[in-house]
């Protein structure tokens, strides 16, 4: 499908699912990560996110991605360690301030949460092309869906117009020498762009009015098909989401760092939760791998 | 299917001294194909907008327009949206959404149809218009012709019984324009949709029309079948200004007094067969060979590509421009004509080959869309701004502005906003502004796009005045007739180079497809006749 996508990613079977299914996945995934404080669960999220992102972007992206995640964890650990003085295990004193092990651990844990969310968001941006964004917003507020669609329309239009204006100004010998004349010319070009675009938006609104925009009961059209595969996956994500919520409510993922590192549920329950969550986060990866296998079998050229 | 009846309609814009439409009485029958023509600013758009209540401008109105039995301003918005389709001039500005499929569905969404119904209608339309191959594309990747076809399809998806089109082809190149008009014809024959089309390109619109209406200063000057209108515009040997806009074949027959006016080359040939015309031998004249040293600018074996891995756009292009000549470059879309202009202008640098400038030449390019130049709020200030970077005294600048206003015949419009001018006036203002840079080479990119035929003659006169002053003009154009009538030399651009160059007569005599309709008509007898005037003189001598 020819849509605005923000990065170069490989084909993903998961992204061909219905947008609601994709949205449900990220909603569950991000919510769990953001309310968990268990290092085991967060590290699981960190590694599954990194694994799937590497699969999507290619092996060469592994090192920079992993490095950026580790940097986030490290920076968060250092910042928290030096600014929070709670915790009982004192490592050393700095200007009469206690620098504690718990402080560093809490920071690192928060860093793992942050970098997991960053990975998930990067995957999300690969999955949600412009048409899916428009569809999802259109489900909630139809006029916002249309608005986003018009924005996606006007970005390339304005860019092309600006190039035309720039080229026209050069064509009549308007060139710049130095910083200030450059700014003056750019301002002028920008003002032409504004006037031109406002003028042409009158014609756009005419064309909208001519096709009955403003009538009551506008619907929002889309090309997505909700197949049985989407139905099962959506149900699966919702059930799993409820299970995760129950687990979180029971405190399986709650961990206290201050004054001492302390878990409220038994460790094996935390491991169980992490295993389940890891499996959930890798569902897209598994779906993609199955998709790849099918394509290999289907190879028409033998 | 309802008829549309204008019952003594007059319309006046607020603050205006005269009526934009005066006492219009006419009836448009169901399934008619009506072509509306007239000079720019004669009230064509105002007239068409009276048929569509949402677009009717604000002003004083008397009389009435009936759609069937209903006065059109009392029509419900839903009925109007469904039954009366309206296509506007600018292909880009009309598109609302970002993808082709969404645009097709836009009107149906407004009507509140369920997804399954929209899907069905969109699928149908995409198939009919041959859009299925670019159904999923972003609209920004389409060509101008595709965009306008999309606008038409998006309107047709609402299944209107009346289709109103306000100069839909004025921003398109001739090939895309004739495709668009062919599609309209097909719609008309297949579905019996009533079509009301305003057009400048009468050469192709006339054969399609059942009825032609000529507007003049807000009044219906004449209406009837194309041939009747053709005759009415040339009564007693006194041509009405719109006569110059008629298809050149009609003008030729009219001026030579040959009876029935033909609409196509085939009809014209059949009629001419009755007369004993001599077949003239074709003698190629030797063009006096000009040496490169008398040129004011030359390109030598220029190669150009936009990206390292892309195919070259210009391939060993060589050309020379001489002082005081008018050189026209013709050719299809995307063959590199505009790129060649940018190279000549110096905006792009060739990767191989040379661009040679002789004696302190300055070059200026008039862009295809004049709006890309306008920064000020009045015509006067716009021209004055064009002088801003020159080291002149205030008085000198004012004098030059005044001179340019007079030369471009814009003196009366001096305090108008550039955006309120008609397409032709904007074009004149743009040329005026560019000329203030005192170029001795003027480059024009499609200067006749969107101009009415009457104004084209004025533009040609202005440009001839410039060549008389020794300014050379290099023009890229699709307008075969305009090139044939005016240029000193013509060249055909193909695959990155100029494949043939010659005087218009030799150039078009050699061409079989890419030539004027007069030449197509008279070819069997004399290949050297390319313009209406030449054809007329020759025919009158023969008869």
């Amino acid at each position: 499908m020819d849509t605005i996508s923000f990065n170069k990613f490989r084909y993903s079977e998961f992204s061909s699912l219905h947008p609601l299914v994709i949205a449900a996945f990220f909603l569950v995934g991000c919510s769990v990560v953001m309310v968990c404080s268990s290092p085991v669960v967060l590290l699981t999220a960190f590694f599954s996110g990194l694994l799937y992102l590497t699969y999507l972007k290619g092996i060469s992206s592994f090192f920079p991605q992993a490095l950026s995640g580790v940097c986030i964890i490290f920076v968060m650990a250092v910042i928290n360690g030096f600014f929070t003085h709670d915790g009982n295990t004192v490592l050393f004193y700095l200007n009469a301030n206690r620098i504690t092990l718990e402080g560093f651990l809490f920071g690192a844990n928060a860093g793992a949460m942050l970098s997991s969310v960053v990975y998930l968001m990067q995957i999300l941006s690969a999955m949600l092309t412009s048409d899916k964004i428009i569809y999802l917003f259109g489900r909630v507020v139809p006029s916002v869906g249309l608005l986003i669609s018009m924005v996606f329309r006007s970005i390339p239009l304005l860019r092309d117009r600006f190039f035309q204006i720039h080229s026209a100004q050069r064509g009549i010998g308007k060139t710049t020498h130095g910083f200030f004349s450059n700014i003056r010319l750019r301002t002028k070009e920008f003002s032409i762009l504004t006037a031109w675009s406002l003028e042409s938006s009158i014609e756009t609104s005419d064309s909208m009015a001519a096709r009955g925009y403003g009538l009551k009961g506008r619907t929002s059209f889309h090309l997505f098909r909700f197949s049985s595969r989407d139905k099962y996956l959506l149900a699966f994500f919702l059930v799993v989401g409820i299970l995760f919520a129950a687990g979180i409510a029971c405190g399986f993922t709650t961990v206290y760092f201050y004054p001492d590192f302390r878990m409220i549920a038994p460790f094996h329950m935390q491991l169980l939760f992490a295993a389940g969550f890891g499996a959930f986060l890798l569902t897209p990866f598994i779906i993609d791998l199955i998709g790849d296998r099918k394509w290999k079998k289907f190879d028409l050229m033998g | 299917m309802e008829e549309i009846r204008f019952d003594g309609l007059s319309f006046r814009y607020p603050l205006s001294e005269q009526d934009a439409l005066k006492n219009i009485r006419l009836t448009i029958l169901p399934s008619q194909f009506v072509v509306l023509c007239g000079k720019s600013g004669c009230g064509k758009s105002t007239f068409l907008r009276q048929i569509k209540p949402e677009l009717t401008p604000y002003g004083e109105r008397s009389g009435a327009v009936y759609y069937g039995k209903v006065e059109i301003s009392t029509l419900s918005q839903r009925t109007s949206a469904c039954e009366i389709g309206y296509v506007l001039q600018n292909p880009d500005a009309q598109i609302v959404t970002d993808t082709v499929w969404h645009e097709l569905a836009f009107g149906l969404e407004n009507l509140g149809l369920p997804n399954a119904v929209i899907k069905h209608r969109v699928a149908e339309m995409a198939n009919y218009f041959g859009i299925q191959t670019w159904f999923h594309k972003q609209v920004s990747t389409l060509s101008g012709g595709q965009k306008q076809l999309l606008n038409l399809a998006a309107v047709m998806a609402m299944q209107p019984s009346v289709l109103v089109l306000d100069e839909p082809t004025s921003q398109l190149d001739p090939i895309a324009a004739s495709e668009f008009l062919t599609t309209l014809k097909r719609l008309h024959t297949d579905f019996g949709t009533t079509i009301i089309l305003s057009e400048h390109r009468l050469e192709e619109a006339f054969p399609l029309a059942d009825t032609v209406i000529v507007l003049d200063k807000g009044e219906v000057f004449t209406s009837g079948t194309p041939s009747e209108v053709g005759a009415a515009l040339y009564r007693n040997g006194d041509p009405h200004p719109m006569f110059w806009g008629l298809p050149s074949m009609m003008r030729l027959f009219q001026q030579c007094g040959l009876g029935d006016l033909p609409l196509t080359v085939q009809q014209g040939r059949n009629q001419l067969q009755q007369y004993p015309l001599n077949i003239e031998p074709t003698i190629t004249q030797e063009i006096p060979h000009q040496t490169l040293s008398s040129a004011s600018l030359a390109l030598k074996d220029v190669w150009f590509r936009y990206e390292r891995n892309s195919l070259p756009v210009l391939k060993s292009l060589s050309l020379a421009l001489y002082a005081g000549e008018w050189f026209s470059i013709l050719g299809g879309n995307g063959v590199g004509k505009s790129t060649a202009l940018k190279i000549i202008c110096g905006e792009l640098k060739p990767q191989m080959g040379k661009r040679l400038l002789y004696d302190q030449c300055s070059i200026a390019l008039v862009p295809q869309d004049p709006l890309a130049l306008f920064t000020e709020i009045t015509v006067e200030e716009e021209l004055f701004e064009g002088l801003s970077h020159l080291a002149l005294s205030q008085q000198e600048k004012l004098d030059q502005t005044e001179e340019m206003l007079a030369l471009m015949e814009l003196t009366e419009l001096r305090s108008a906003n550039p955006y309120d001018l008609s397409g032709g006036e904007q074009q004149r203002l743009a040329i005026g502004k560019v000329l203030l840079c005192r170029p001795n080479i003027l480059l024009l990119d499609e200067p006749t796009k969107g101009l009415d035929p009457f104004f084209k003659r004025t533009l040609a006169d202005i440009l001839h005045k410039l060549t008389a002053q020794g300014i050379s003009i290099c023009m890229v154009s699709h307008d075969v007739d305009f090139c044939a009538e005016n240029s000193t030399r013509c060249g055909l651009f193909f695959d990155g180079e100029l494949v043939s160059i010659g005087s218009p007569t030799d150039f078009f005599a050699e061409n079989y497809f890419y030539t004027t309709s007069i030449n197509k008509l008279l070819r069997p007898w004399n290949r050297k006749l390319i313009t209406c005037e030449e054809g007329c003189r020759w025919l009158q001598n023969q008869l």
Side-chain angles (χ1 to χ4, degrees):
Chain A
M1 206 182 263
D2 182 28
T3 39
I4 298 180
S5 146
F6 304 97
N7 278 308
K8 281 269 164 252
F9 288 94
R10 69 181 288 167
Y11 172 77
S12 151
E13 183 81 15
F14 184 67
S15 74
S16 71
L17 291 169
H18 196 273
L20 279 178
V21 180
I22 299 174
F25 171 79
F26 285 98
L27 200 67
V28 172
C30 288
S31 317
V32 171
V33 168
M34 286 191 290
V35 295
C36 273
S37 53
S38 151
V40 187
V41 175
L42 290 177
L43 283 179
T44 313
F46 179 86
F47 285 113
S48 358
L50 183 59
L51 176 65
Y52 189 41
L53 195 58
T54 310
Y55 168 76
L56 288 175
K57 284 184 121 177
I59 192 76
S60 61
S61 74
F62 173 77
F63 191 67
Q65 291 293 350
L67 189 69
S68 68
V70 171
C71 282
I72 292 177
I73 294 176
F74 182 74
V75 169
M76 291 295 285
V78 169
I79 291 176
N80 196 64
F82 282 101
F83 286 92
T84 312
H85 311 297
D86 301 333
N88 284 338
T89 323
V90 179
L91 296 177
F92 55 91
Y93 284 88
L94 193 74
N95 297 338
N97 283 325
R98 291 145 44 92
I99 304 298
T100 65
L101 177 64
E102 285 80 9
F104 284 116
L105 287 179
F106 184 86
N109 202 46
M113 179 194 288
L114 193 62
S115 46
S116 310
V117 173
V118 168
Y119 289 152
L120 281 176
M121 287 300 152
Q122 274 180 282
I123 297 167
L124 179 69
S125 83
M127 300 290 158
L128 280 194
T129 44
S130 56
D131 53 337
K132 289 180 197 147
I133 297 174
I134 291 162
Y135 168 75
L136 287 172
F137 278 96
R139 291 278 303 200
V140 189
V141 194
S143 57
V144 175
L146 177 65
L147 185 74
I148 298 174
S149 169
M150 290 174 76
V151 169
F152 279 129
R153 153 85 186 119
S154 53
I155 293 168
L157 183 68
L158 293 181
R159 190 192 50 208
D160 291 350
R161 243 180 228 155
F162 188 78
F163 281 131
Q164 264 188 60
I165 294 167
H166 186 61
S167 145
Q169 295 295 324
R170 294 219 299 203
I172 57 170
K174 296 267 164 92
T175 45
T176 54
H177 336 273
F179 183 67
F180 284 105
S181 82
N182 196 8
I183 286 189
R184 209 174 307 138
L185 184 66
R186 285 298 161 131
T187 318
K188 186 162 278 172
E189 287 173 359
F190 188 72
S191 107
I192 300 176
L193 180 67
T194 317
W196 188 354
S197 304
L198 285 177
E199 194 67 23
S200 82
S201 67
I202 295 172
E203 198 164 332
T204 311
S205 74
D206 276 351
S207 134
M208 289 170 79
R211 282 185 279 161
Y213 184 71
L215 284 170
K216 277 224 163 64
R218 188 185 144 80
T219 48
S220 167
F221 177 63
H222 62 86
L223 293 172
F224 298 108
R225 274 149 286 222
F226 198 76
S227 62
S228 55
R229 186 175 66 160
D230 297 311
K231 197 160 65 185
Y232 294 133
L233 268 172
L234 188 62
F236 171 67
F237 288 158
L238 290 180
V239 170
V240 168
I242 293 167
L243 287 179
F244 288 151
I248 291 165
C250 295
F252 292 170
T253 62
T254 314
V255 162
Y256 295 107
F257 287 85
Y258 303 121
D260 287 302
F261 185 81
R262 185 166 60 86
M263 300 178 279
I264 56 170
F267 185 64
H268 63 266
M269 291 313 287
Q270 219 183 110
L271 278 183
L272 188 68
F273 189 96
F277 188 54
F280 164 79
L281 285 181
L282 289 177
T283 323
F285 184 46
I286 294 161
I287 292 174
D288 282 7
L289 287 181
I290 296 173
D292 283 358
R293 263 185 74 93
K294 268 192 197 150
W295 270 110
K296 276 204 188 104
K297 274 193 199 155
F298 190 67
D299 194 352
L300 288 174
M301 306 312 255
Chain B
M1 290 303 229
E2 311 275 3
E3 62 172 35
I4 296 170
R5 192 158 54 85
F6 286 78
D7 194 3
L9 179 84
S10 297
F11 181 84
R12 177 180 294 200
Y13 283 101
L15 303 177
S16 164
E17 314 250 298
Q18 57 213 2
D19 286 345
L21 296 175
K22 272 177 239 159
N23 193 21
I24 291 188
R25 267 173 214 288
L26 52 92
T27 306
I28 295 167
L29 297 173
S31 300
Q32 241 182 348
F33 196 126
V34 179
V35 169
L36 181 68
C37 55
K39 278 172 72 174
S40 287
C42 71
K44 289 195 298 291
S45 296
T46 317
F47 176 85
L48 291 179
R49 279 168 183 260
Q50 304 293 332
I51 309 175
K52 183 82 180 166
E54 292 90 344
L55 304 185
T56 309
Y58 181 72
E60 260 175 70
R61 195 177 124 156
S62 61
V65 187
Y66 292 98
Y67 177 68
K69 297 207 162 38
V70 194
E71 214 289 316
I72 218 149
S73 54
T74 61
L75 213 59
S76 77
Q77 204 195 344
R78 194 168 287 272
T79 327
S80 152
C82 294
E83 306 235 321
I84 305 170
Y86 203 101
V87 178
L88 298 134
Q89 206 178 85
N90 191 326
D92 258 318
Q94 281 179 80
I95 296 178
V96 179
T97 61
D98 62 334
T99 47
V100 172
W101 62 265
H102 201 175
E103 189 63 25
L104 282 173
F106 177 75
L108 304 170
E109 288 181 329
N110 292 336
L111 297 179
L113 298 177
N115 216 47
V117 179
I118 300 185
K119 199 172 256 182
H120 175 199
R121 292 235 202 138
V122 162
E124 238 189 356
M125 274 306 126
N127 267 310
Y128 186 80
F129 285 90
I131 291 179
Q132 63 281 49
T133 47
W134 34 283
F135 187 64
H136 286 293
K137 279 199 170 172
Q138 293 286 317
V139 289
S140 56
T141 60
L142 305 181
S143 70
Q146 286 177 322
K147 281 178 189 160
Q148 199 61 310
L149 209 58
L150 172 61
N151 287 321
L152 179 63
V155 167
M156 285 311 290
M158 302 177 76
Q159 305 177 343
S161 53
V162 178
L163 187 57
V164 183
L165 304 107
D166 190 358
E167 293 185 25
T169 64
S170 70
Q171 302 296 313
L172 307 182
D173 66 79
I175 297 136
S178 76
E179 259 169 41
F180 186 88
L181 292 175
T182 315
T183 312
L184 268 189
K185 182 68 196 169
R186 197 153 65 96
L187 277 179
H188 183 239
T189 35
D190 289 358
F191 305 114
T193 316
T194 314
I195 293 180
I196 307 165
L197 166 76
S198 81
E199 249 311 328
H200 286 321
R201 233 181 275 260
L202 297 180
E203 200 89 34
E204 276 163 275
F206 252 57
L208 306 179
D210 299 322
T211 305
V212 176
I213 300 173
V214 180
L215 278 188
D216 191 2
K217 300 190 185 93
E219 284 175 289
V220 177
F221 178 79
T222 176
S223 69
T225 63
S227 324
E228 284 168 12
V229 166
L233 287 173
Y234 195 74
R235 219 157 257 152
N236 320 324
D238 171 32
H240 179 266
M242 263 317 289
F243 174 74
W244 303 112
L246 288 180
S248 46
M249 229 167 339
M250 286 181 97
R251 270 188 289 153
L252 178 78
F253 273 63
Q254 188 74 268
Q255 282 178 318
C256 301
L258 287 181
D260 274 357
L261 303 181
L263 294 171
T264 60
V265 170
Q266 174 225 347
Q267 285 175 10
R269 284 253 180 100
N270 285 345
Q271 286 188 45
L272 285 182
Q273 303 288 3
Q274 314 162 16
Y275 302 99
L277 299 173
N278 295 332
I279 296 176
E280 315 241 336
T282 316
I283 314 148
T284 0
Q285 289 166 333
E286 277 298 312
I287 336 167
H289 198 74
Q290 282 168 298
T291 51
L292 258 188
S293 59
S294 66
S296 41
L297 177 141
L299 295 186
K300 261 187 165 174
D301 298 326
V302 164
W303 289 75
F304 185 82
R305 63 181 75 199
Y306 278 98
E307 274 159 45
R308 193 168 175 190
N309 296 324
S310 63
L311 293 169
V313 184
L314 303 182
K315 297 173 186 171
S316 191
L317 171 70
S318 300
L319 68 90
L321 276 179
Y322 304 97
E325 78 160 348
W326 181 332
F327 183 50
S328 301
I329 301 177
L330 295 110
N333 274 336
V335 288
K337 299 194 306 291
S338 296
T339 310
L341 271 195
K342 285 181 181 170
I343 295 268
I344 296 176
C345 174
E347 195 191 318
L348 298 174
K349 300 265 174 289
Q351 282 121 6
M352 269 194 280
K354 272 189 194 136
R355 168 173 170 267
L356 304 164
L357 274 177
Y358 302 94
D359 39 78
Q360 292 294 305
C361 215
S362 79
I363 306 170
L365 171 71
V366 183
Q368 219 177 85
D369 206 322
L371 294 182
L373 285 178
F374 299 157
T375 49
E376 307 300 313
I377 54 167
T378 66
V379 167
E380 217 170 356
E381 288 171 57
E382 194 63 61
L383 290 177
F384 192 74
E385 198 272 341
L387 292 164
S388 63
H389 63 295
L390 298 180
L392 293 171
S393 75
Q394 198 74 356
Q395 193 53 46
E396 278 173 308
K397 285 184 182 178
L398 283 174
D399 290 346
Q400 288 195 13
T401 307
E402 209 59 39
E403 230 173 86
M404 194 49 75
L405 280 172
L407 180 67
M408 291 295 146
E409 300 166 23
L410 287 170
T411 317
E412 282 166 27
L413 295 166
R414 61 190 312 154
S415 50
N417 188 311
Y419 278 96
D420 291 338
L421 302 180
S422 73
E425 291 157 354
Q426 284 179 342
Q427 192 73 41
R428 262 188 288 175
L429 178 57
I431 294 175
K433 186 167 182 181
V434 168
L435 281 177
L436 286 174
C437 308
R438 301 270 154 221
N440 31 25
I441 297 178
L442 182 66
L443 308 176
L444 300 160
D445 197 353
E446 299 283 355
T448 57
K449 201 173 178 179
L451 298 191
D452 70 47
F454 183 72
F455 185 75
K456 271 192 218 171
R457 291 164 62 85
T458 322
L459 179 70
D461 289 343
I462 292 173
L463 294 177
H464 279 302
K465 268 187 227 165
L466 297 177
T467 49
Q469 292 170 18
I471 295 178
S472 6
I473 291 176
C474 177
M475 172 176 93
V476 161
S477 180
H478 282 295
D479 193 332
V480 174
D481 287 286
F482 191 71
C483 296
E485 279 160 27
N486 298 301
S487 30
T488 339
R489 284 192 305 151
C490 294
L492 182 67
F493 209 95
F494 182 73
D495 195 24
E497 59 174 340
L498 280 164
V499 287
S500 70
I501 302 180
S503 71
T505 316
D506 295 322
F507 179 80
F508 289 112
E510 287 302 312
N511 290 353
Y512 189 83
F513 298 101
Y514 224 86
T515 181
T516 62
S517 49
I518 293 294
N519 187 256
K520 285 179 194 159
L521 175 71
L522 299 175
R523 244 184 133 66
W525 296 282
N526 187 343
R527 289 166 67 175
K528 294 256 159 177
L529 303 170
I530 56 170
T531 66
C532 194
E533 282 68 33
E534 289 169 0
C536 195
R537 230 175 295 131
W538 181 78
L539 270 179
Q540 274 165 347
N541 282 337
Q542 292 274 317
L543 297 172

